[in-house]
C-alpha cells in the first residue's frame, strides 16, 4: 500500500454537478478530442479516474524537452512516471488510486517549499469544447477554476528495487488498436 508513482497529465473534468440535473440538455464533448490532440482510441495514455470523475491525458504533458518543448514531468517530479507502467493481467503489482489534489496538498508554513516536488497535473484550459448546455457550447477556458485531480499508482505487495511495475489496464472489448495484441477475445 505504498505510493510508487504518480500519473502525469492534463486533467479533463467530468460534467459539472449542475449540468447533470437535466441529462437531455447536456452532451459531454470532452471525450471527442483529448488535450494532446488525439482521439481517445488513438491515445494509449488516457487514464479514466473512476473514483473522482474525468480523465488524465498522460501524453499531453510528456514533452521531449527539446528546444521549443516543455520539460518532461520526470524533470520536475521524479515520481511522475506512472505513464511508463506496462500492462499485465497476470503479473500486476500496482493499482490506481484517483484523488483530488486539494485533499492531499496542504499549506504548511513550517516546511521549506524547495523540498516539494511539482504537482504533475494541471486542469484542462485549452479552449476546446467541454459540453453542450442546450445549444450553447461550454469550453475549457484559460482561467477555468476548480479542482485538479490526479492518480497515484499504489503497490499491491512488496516490490523489490529494480522490478518492473505492472498494471492490469482493465480494458473491455472492443479494444483500441494499440491494445488488441494484449487481449484474446473468446
Amino acid at each position: 500500500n505504498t505510493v510508487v508513482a504518480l500519473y502525469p497529465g492534463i486533467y479533463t473534468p467530468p460534467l459539472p454537478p449542475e449540468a447533470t440535473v437535466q441529462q437531455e440538455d447536456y452532451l459531454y464533448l470532452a471525450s471527442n478530442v483529448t488535450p494532446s490532440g488525439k482521439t481517445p482510441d488513438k491515445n494509449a495514455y488516457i487514464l479514466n479516474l473512476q473514483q473522482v470523475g474525468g480523465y488524465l491525458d498522460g501524453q499531453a504533458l510528456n514533452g521531449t524537452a527539446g528546444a521549443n518543448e516543455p520539460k518532461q514531468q520526470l524533470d520536475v517530479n521524479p515520481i511522475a512516471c506512472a505513464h511508463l507502467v506496462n500492462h499485465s493481467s497476470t503479473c500486476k503489482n500496482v493499482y490506481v488510486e484517483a484523488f483530488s489534489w486539494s485533499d492531499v496538498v496542504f499549506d504548511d508554513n513550517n516546511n521549506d517549499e524547495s523540498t516539494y516536488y511539482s504537482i504533475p497535473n494541471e486542469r484542462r484550459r485549452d479552449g476546446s469544447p467541454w459540453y453542450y448546455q442546450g445549444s450553447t457550447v461550454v469550453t475549457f477556458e484559460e482561467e477555468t477554476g476548480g479542482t485538479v485531480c490526479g492518480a497515484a499508482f499504489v503497490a499491491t505487495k512488496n516490490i523489490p528495487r529494480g522490478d518492473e511495475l505492472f498494471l492490469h489496464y482493465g480494458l473491455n472489448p472492443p479494444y483500441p488498436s494499440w491494445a488488441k495484441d494484449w487481449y484474446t477475445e473468446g
Side-chain angles (χ1 to χ4, degrees), residues 70-81:
K71 286 185 167 185
Q72 289 197 26
Q73 289 299 303
L74 285 172
D75 294 340
V76 293
N77 189 326
I79 69 165
C81 59

Side-chain angles (χ1 to χ4, degrees), residues 6-28:
L6 295 173
Y7 198 87
I10 293 180
Y11 172 63
T12 297
L15 282 171
E18 65 273 10
T20 60
V21 175
Q22 299 175 355
Q23 292 291 336
E24 66 276 357
D25 289 340
Y26 297 91
L27 177 62
Y28 189 62

Side-chain angles (χ1 to χ4, degrees), residues 87 89 168-172 175 179-185:
H87 165 78
S89 56
H168 186 307
Y169 289 176
L171 299 176
N172 295 314
Y175 302 116
K180 284 183 180 177
D181 292 342
W182 302 341
Y183 296 89
T184 55
E185 295 186 55

